[in-house]
Amino acid sequence: MTDQKKNDIAFDALLTEEREFPPSSSFTAKANISDDSIYEIARKDPEGYWASWAEQLDWETPWTKILEWDPPHAKWFVGGRLNASYNCLDRHLDKNGEKTAIIWEGEPGDTRRYTYRELHAEVSRFANGLKKLGVELGDRVAIYLPLIPEAVIAMLACARIGAVHSVVFGGFSAESLRDRIQDAEAKILITATSGYRRGNPVPLKKVGDAAVEECPSITNVVVVMRRAAAEEAEETINMHPGRDVWYHDVIRSAEEHCPPTWVDSEQMLYTLYTSGTTGKPKGIIHTTGGYLTGCYATTKWVFDLKPDDIFWCTADIGWVTGHSYVVYGPLANCATVLIYEGAPDWPKKDRMWELVEKYGVTIFYTAPTAIRAFMKWGHHLPDGHKLDSLRLLGSVGEPINPEAWIWYHKYIGGERCPIVDTWWQTETGAIMITPLPGIVATRPGSATRPFPGIEAEILNDAGERTPVGGGYLALTRPWPSMLRGIYRDPERYEAQYWSKWKGIYFTGDGAKRDENGYFWLLGRVDDVINVAGHRIGTMEVESALVDHQSVAEAAVVGISHEIKGTAIAAFVIIKESAREAAQKDPVAFENELKNHVATKIGAIARPEKILITADLPKTRSGKIMRRLLRDIAEGRRLGDVTTLADPTVVASLKERYEDEG
Ligand code: WT7
């Protein structure tokens, strides 16, 4: 950690939030967990505690050992065999076959509902269809779909036959999709003709086609017809004979009976790619028994899930939040989930509240970036809807600023709903630090305490514990839903997460702990930018920029942004040959670079600001001083420049961008 970053943490640690919101006695009286001795029980015997959760799943063969911990490699519920789709579907059929599993609404307003029985039937058919296409135990299947029921069906169909799904967010570019398919060596790509975003169809199949051109591992592409047949005749989509098959044909010709493939507890359930500090995204590996246990437990206690709840997690299934809290956690708990395909401001800025009212949503889980947007649009929008079905709110993805927290509490929660600010990561699989809503008094901006059975500490570089104060956030004990590795990169797994301290997981986040033992997250301490709750590696964006013919060198930093929390600013040294173009029409030139990044990675990585510079501030060892760049991009007074190789670089940069703030 640089000195600058240490100072950041010390500074932030001075800001204290005194407002406290204890759970109401009526909430606690009905809560799934209301006795705080559970923290101590779990601490004394974490393995026994986690085993009691795993026992609530259905196993074909019981495990013989709860945990095998050979740092940094963990095996949970060793020897046990189960199936994730069986746990999300089959086991509910006797009692809850007619219960609604999924309520879905498309952006244009089309709707569908699936009971558990219907979902089970469709998943079984598709699983058989995948088998017919040659998918076997352990094979990887890439899923590149809009947020439609088939996305959930495809995931569960893979799980049913022991195939590994690799969901790629529908907003990613052809190149990003290609890289992920190549890394996983996926056999099948499941995509759709298109999805909807703000009224416009997004041409997923076209992007998929471009990606697959360079993916020799792909034998078949399964295509879901998203738009009504009248609008989108089959012939307008270019189906490659011998490779492409329609999803509806696969379903139509498949049998409904598909016994689940029982897999080892440690069988890989999925891989999901996330950004790291180096250019290449890493495929985080999650396995079956432990992951499902973590999702099941946290859904039940953090969201206080009850049989008649309507649970709405707004995340796309392209992110881990969608995996754990749209699919596996809620369905393993036999919940009714709402899924909405589109944008929150389409056709109007009250779409979310319209949906809450229409479907009687009781639990609503979203990201601070969305809350800040709602705030900006004004509380008259939620005020115009009946939101009294809501009883619990959640937040995830980045620190929630107290102002947004209070707004959420007041205008969405009607001052009656507890807010659970949940800290976790793609790597942790399930929620790690969070209030238990019937027990823990919340403070705006704090994720409060580790979930029972999770041990978190604030450590310094030497691995010394800080009981009160700031430092690195570490997880000091293995947990069931922890990642098991990085796909095809065991060294990176060790180096990234387990090399800082022996046997202790390094989260990459800074945090502080207060006198109450509450955790306050302070953001990333590495070269990862959290944009609107999604991690983007600075290196990834830099590589995309340098890939442009006009760019010689680039340095990317995160700057604060009113809605996104953090946005991307890119300092760019352009080639001699591009000077003229850049000077003639700077706006067009900057847009071209921004678009280039969006095309290379996806719109989510599009820089907010491009700052053209003649040089970059570097330390004597050649490391770019991002902290200084951040100060310049945000128009702040400059921090310490004494370690700079050439201090004049900063002076001229600063002069150039002083007025732009
Ligand atoms: C990073 C993980 C886990 C689902 C969404 C993001 C940040 C996440 C919080 C929170 C403060 C948070 C951290 C973390 N983060 N939740 N409640 N408070 N920061 O998953 O893409 O794997 O990103 O998101 O920096 O390391 P992800």
Side-chain angles (χ1 to χ4, degrees), residues 103-355:
I103 305 170
W104 175 81
E105 185 160 316
E107 197 190 71
D110 44 341
T111 65
R112 276 195 263 162
R113 267 178 199 260
Y114 289 81
T115 63
Y116 271 93
R117 199 172 307 287
E118 289 163 344
L119 189 61
H120 173 264
E122 182 102 352
V123 167
S124 300
R125 281 183 193 277
F126 193 47
N128 276 329
L130 289 175
K131 273 195 207 164
K132 243 194 266 173
L133 293 175
V135 180
E136 291 173 5
L137 179 75
D139 283 347
R140 277 80 53 216
V141 173
I143 299 176
Y144 184 67
L145 286 172
L147 194 42
I148 55 178
E150 286 80 0
V152 179
I153 292 161
M155 289 164 76
L156 292 174
C158 289
R160 193 160 193 86
I161 60 175
V164 175
H165 57 71
S166 169
V167 182
V168 180
F169 173 56
F172 276 128
S173 67
E175 286 184 42
S176 296
L177 175 60
R178 178 201 63 196
D179 291 349
R180 285 158 175 76
I181 292 175
Q182 286 179 348
D183 189 72
E185 292 175 301
K187 225 179 192 172
I188 304 279
L189 169 67
I190 303 168
T191 188
T193 49
S194 51
Y196 280 101
R197 199 69 186 170
R198 297 208 170 81
N200 297 315
V202 182
L204 292 171
K205 171 70 162 69
K206 280 204 188 94
V207 179
D209 282 344
V212 167
E213 254 171 51
E214 292 168 72
C215 297
S217 63
I218 293 285
T219 55
N220 290 100
V221 177
V222 180
V223 187
V224 179
M225 196 187 297
R226 167 66 186 96
R227 301 166 73 195
E231 276 177 78
E232 187 172 64
E234 297 195 12
E235 50 274 16
T236 65
I237 288 285
N238 188 13
M239 295 290 277
H240 292 226
R243 186 196 73 184
D244 297 356
V245 289
W246 287 107
Y247 173 87
H248 53 255
D249 287 340
V250 173
I251 292 286
R252 208 181 288 144
S253 62
E255 264 213 60
E256 191 180 309
H257 180 67
C258 178
T261 302
W262 303 110
V263 299
D264 190 275
S265 177
E266 285 300 330
Q267 169 70 30
M268 201 188 299
L269 176 62
Y270 68 80
T271 156
L272 182 62
Y273 287 80
T274 185
S275 297
T277 49
T278 65
K280 206 173 128 228
K282 42 193 180 182
I284 302 299
I285 293 173
H286 282 294
T287 59
T288 308
Y291 174 76
L292 208 59
T293 301
C295 291
Y296 175 83
T298 50
T299 303
K300 192 158 187 161
W301 277 4
V302 175
F303 299 109
D304 190 47
L305 188 75
K306 303 276 171 31
D308 51 1
D309 274 314
I310 307 289
F311 183 84
W312 186 13
C313 164
T314 66
D316 191 279
I317 52 130
W319 312 111
V320 73
T321 311
H323 284 58
S324 301
Y325 300 107
V326 175
V327 184
Y328 291 108
L331 298 183
N333 274 285
C334 196
T336 298
V337 299
L338 172 65
I339 301 176
Y340 165 60
E341 176 190 29
D345 55 352
W346 189 265
K348 286 190 297 182
K349 290 189 164 63
D350 64 347
R351 184 69 183 271
M352 306 305 264
W353 319 126
E354 188 187 284
L355 288 164

Side-chain angles (χ1 to χ4, degrees), residues 321 397-399 421-426 509 521 524 530 535:
T321 311
E398 54 181 312
D421 173 1
T422 62
W423 177 89
W424 59 296
Q425 307 177 299
T426 304
D509 281 349
L521 276 301
R524 303 289 308 182
N530 189 322
R535 280 190 283 170

Side-chain angles (χ1 to χ4, degrees), residues 322-517:
H323 284 58
S324 301
Y325 300 107
V326 175
V327 184
Y328 291 108
L331 298 183
N333 274 285
C334 196
T336 298
V337 299
L338 172 65
I339 301 176
Y340 165 60
E341 176 190 29
D345 55 352
W346 189 265
K348 286 190 297 182
K349 290 189 164 63
D350 64 347
R351 184 69 183 271
M352 306 305 264
W353 319 126
E354 188 187 284
L355 288 164
V356 168
E357 180 173 358
K358 180 172 176 188
Y359 295 110
V361 172
T362 57
I363 302 170
F364 181 72
Y365 187 34
T366 198
T369 181
I371 299 167
R372 286 190 294 266
F374 301 147
M375 234 172 116
K376 193 173 170 202
W377 299 338
H379 65 78
H380 62 283
L381 295 170
D383 287 351
H385 290 274
K386 215 166 143 298
L387 303 181
D388 52 8
S389 58
L390 289 171
R391 63 178 198 89
L392 185 124
L393 304 175
S395 169
V396 62
E398 54 181 312
I400 177 166
N401 43 310
E403 197 194 351
W405 196 104
I406 295 289
W407 188 93
Y408 197 31
H409 173 69
K410 190 164 171 189
Y411 296 109
I412 308 305
E415 293 180 338
R416 88 190 158 269
C417 303
I419 295 180
V420 289
D421 173 1
T422 62
W423 177 89
W424 59 296
Q425 307 177 299
T426 304
E427 292 86 343
T428 70
I431 294 167
M432 297 283 107
I433 303 183
T434 177
L436 288 178
I439 300 178
V440 178
T442 54
R443 289 197 173 193
S446 172
T448 74
R449 303 171 66 173
F451 187 80
I454 300 299
E455 262 175 41
E457 293 286 356
I458 304 291
L459 301 181
N460 65 12
D461 277 304
E464 291 153 349
R465 184 172 173 268
T466 309
V468 176
Y472 301 114
L473 178 66
L475 301 173
T476 52
R477 208 182 244 301
W479 63 99
S481 64
M482 64 192 270
L483 78 165
R484 299 300 195 268
I486 295 176
Y487 199 70
R488 293 202 314 186
D489 202 346
E491 286 95 44
R492 196 169 171 200
Y493 170 69
E494 299 218 22
Q496 181 88 48
Y497 306 107
W498 304 96
S499 63
K500 200 166 179 66
W501 315 288
K502 205 170 178 300
I504 292 179
Y505 174 84
F506 173 49
T507 64
D509 281 349
K512 63 164 175 157
R513 186 161 44 187
D514 68 17
E515 303 71 25
N516 277 326

